[in-house]
Amino acid sequence: MKSIDILMPYPMLPIAQEQLEAAFTLHKLFEADDPDTVLAEIGDRIRGVALGFGSVDTAFLRKIPNVEIVSSFGVGYDHIDVDACLAANAEVTHTPDVLSDEVADTAIGLMIMAIREFGQAETWLREGNWKHKGPYPLTKATLRGRKLGIFGLGRIGKEIAKRAEAFGLEISYHGRSRQEGISYPYHASLKELAAACDTLMVVAPGGADTEHAVSAEILSALGPDGVLINVGRGSVVDEAALITALEDGTILGAGLDVFENEPHVPERLMQLPGVTLLPHVGSASRFTRDAMGQLVVDNLKSWFNTGKAITPVPEMRQK
Ligand code: A2R
């Protein structure tokens, strides 16, 4: 496969970079002094893209007119214009399943942190308050008796539900349709789900269809004991509406791993005491990130060896 040219626009983990370098002719665009000039020179030869970061749109695809496959790192692919890839006859792959357990662990950890204020309690200890002022105040909220509403009961959502069952939480969900063989109650609208639960877990994908789905109206339906957890995509939540809802007590708290404009987190959000914030670490262990990197490599190798990718995005199966 050494005769096959692969483009890597941004750095990737060693596990991916080293294997791709050994198997293909790898062009590391991020090492070029002038990436545009390099791309103009080699663009026609590129047959595959290993995408760890950055977006893919029509303008980019025009620079690599003979591309056959875009192998993307991560399960979400809202940064890739799939219609443009279909029009360019380019396969798109992602890395589902291998990260589901890790993200579900993060979601549960974040939920408990947000509800029991463990981040704030640790700061209390580190700042010497325990010794000088006494115990950390009792938390307003508890996990006991909580009703968990999952927005996006997919691969990750189901792993979250499995874990939440062990914590004794009552579970229901919303998605575009009721799922067969799932016993958790289904709510036909997100508003109905928010009204029925007090802990809303967002694990739906980003993109135009879900943009700002969690609006002021949804937060109001969630109510004053409500806690919002987001491990899906920042774009799904109207961040300005969320800040207002937290400030005026429309909801109780939030645990966020994803934001609208990463890595920028609004100052007003950071000032709020009842909020737990993580820097998008859902899948970020070496173990899981290596598994994702390996799948990026395996998709490319499979495509060029057999003409089939291992984990194409769903839209590719419909073509
Ligand atoms: O709507 P359904 O029944 O196809 O359920 C999917 C749901 N979903 C949506 N729900 C409401 N409105 C939408 N426009 C919409 N689009 C999708 O989200 C499905 O149950 C769930 C997504 O599950 P999976 O496709 O299995 O994705 P996975 O691996 O759980 O990852 C979810 C997201 C990623 O897209 C990243 O943004 C993040 O978690 O890492």
Side-chain angles (χ1 to χ4, degrees):
M1 289 188 285
K2 265 288 176 192
S3 61
I4 297 169
D5 290 77
I6 302 290
L7 183 72
M8 185 179 280
Y10 294 95
M12 295 188 77
L13 292 173
I15 196 170
Q17 216 160 291
E18 285 163 13
Q19 289 184 73
L20 292 174
E21 226 154 16
F24 300 97
T25 297
L26 185 67
H27 301 274
K28 294 189 261 182
L29 200 57
F30 52 92
E31 285 183 353
D33 290 334
D34 183 359
D36 286 339
T37 308
V38 171
L39 200 51
E41 276 166 21
I42 63 163
D44 283 353
R45 302 210 305 267
I46 298 301
R47 293 178 62 192
V49 176
L51 193 72
F53 185 76
S55 56
V56 170
D57 56 13
T58 305
F60 177 69
L61 290 167
R62 272 200 204 110
K63 295 176 188 168
I64 46 172
N66 298 309
V67 69
E68 295 170 36
I69 176 169
V70 175
S71 179
S72 179
F73 182 88
V75 63
Y77 53 95
D78 43 309
H79 52 295
I80 298 175
D81 185 338
V82 174
D83 287 338
C85 290
L86 283 167
N89 207 18
E91 187 84 350
V92 178
T93 66
H94 62 154
T95 62
D97 295 313
V98 293
L99 46 58
S100 297
D101 281 325
E102 203 76 73
V103 179
D105 290 352
T106 305
I108 295 292
L110 183 56
M111 177 179 74
I112 300 176
M113 281 182 78
I115 289 171
R116 294 297 319 288
E117 304 173 20
F118 287 151
Q120 297 88 327
E122 189 187 9
T123 303
W124 181 268
L125 179 154
R126 285 182 187 275
E127 290 182 348
N129 291 325
W130 191 14
K131 204 161 52 182
H132 297 112
K133 293 187 185 166
Y136 182 76
L138 303 183
T139 60
K140 285 189 228 73
T142 173
L143 227 59
R144 310 278 69 74
R146 282 220 159 238
K147 294 180 187 149
L148 180 67
I150 301 180
F151 175 28
L153 190 72
R155 289 168 293 241
I156 300 171
K158 288 189 179 76
E159 289 302 326
I160 294 171
K162 206 196 282 180
R163 287 158 175 74
E165 273 192 52
F167 283 93
L169 304 189
E170 204 179 301
I171 297 160
S172 59
Y173 74 102
H174 166 69
R176 289 165 298 187
S177 54
R178 185 190 299 274
Q179 297 185 37
E180 268 180 45
I182 295 291
S183 57
Y184 308 129
Y186 171 73
H187 296 283
S189 73
L190 182 55
K191 192 172 174 189
E192 205 182 282
L193 177 73
C197 74
D198 52 27
T199 310
L200 183 60
M201 176 70 74
V202 177
V203 65
D209 291 350
T210 57
E211 191 168 358
H212 286 190
V214 179
S215 59
E217 190 190 9
I218 301 299
L219 295 167
S220 175
L222 187 57
D225 285 328
V227 175
L228 177 79
I229 309 295
N230 189 4
V231 294
R233 275 287 184 269
S235 60
V236 181
V237 175
D238 181 340
E239 216 164 64
L242 172 64
I243 294 169
T244 303
L246 288 162
E247 284 176 344
D248 68 16
T250 300
I251 66 168
L252 183 65
L256 308 172
D257 185 42
V258 288
F259 302 88
E260 275 200 70
N261 184 26
E262 297 175 9
H264 303 284
V265 177
E267 194 54 40
R268 270 169 70 201
L269 197 51
M270 292 211 265
Q271 295 305 326
L272 285 165
V275 175
T276 301
L277 306 170
L278 295 178
H280 202 153
V281 293
S283 65
S285 69
R286 281 193 189 161
F287 175 88
T288 293
R289 287 286 171 88
D290 275 354
M292 292 161 66
Q294 187 62 52
L295 195 45
V296 168
V297 174
D298 293 346
N299 267 308
L300 286 166
K301 285 187 175 173
S302 173
W303 178 261
F304 290 109
N305 275 326
T306 70
K308 277 205 169 123
I310 302 166
T311 49
V313 301
E315 291 87 339
M316 297 293 140
R317 296 198 190 95
Q318 289 150 20
K319 73 185 171 186

